[in-house]
Amino acid sequence: MARGVPGGYRIWDNKGRHWWGDHYELCPDDLLTELNGAADHAKITALLKRYRALKR
């Protein structure tokens, strides 16, 4: 699940009850939709890798 935090969005892991991944100033729509929808692990991982590469 994506949650708004000061300065952007973070990913909250409901199962592990902790923040997961990077802090995003802007949460891309396709990542947000996947996190709050079907939550397919492979698709989320691919999206995170793509956006992490764009940040560099």
Side-chain angles (χ1 to χ4, degrees), residues 33-45:
T33 301
E34 189 62 34
L35 287 168
N36 293 332
D40 176 34
H41 187 273
K43 189 170 182 182
I44 290 171
T45 303

Side-chain angles (χ1 to χ4, degrees), residues 8-41:
Y9 287 89
R10 294 217 48 204
I11 299 169
W12 178 254
D13 180 1
N14 281 330
K15 194 173 192 178
R17 311 237 357 113
H18 59 87
W19 295 113
W20 181 80
D22 296 330
H23 177 268
Y24 296 93
E25 289 180 14
L26 297 172
C27 194
D29 291 337
D30 52 349
L31 178 58
L32 185 63
T33 301
E34 189 62 34
L35 287 168
N36 293 332
D40 176 34
H41 187 273

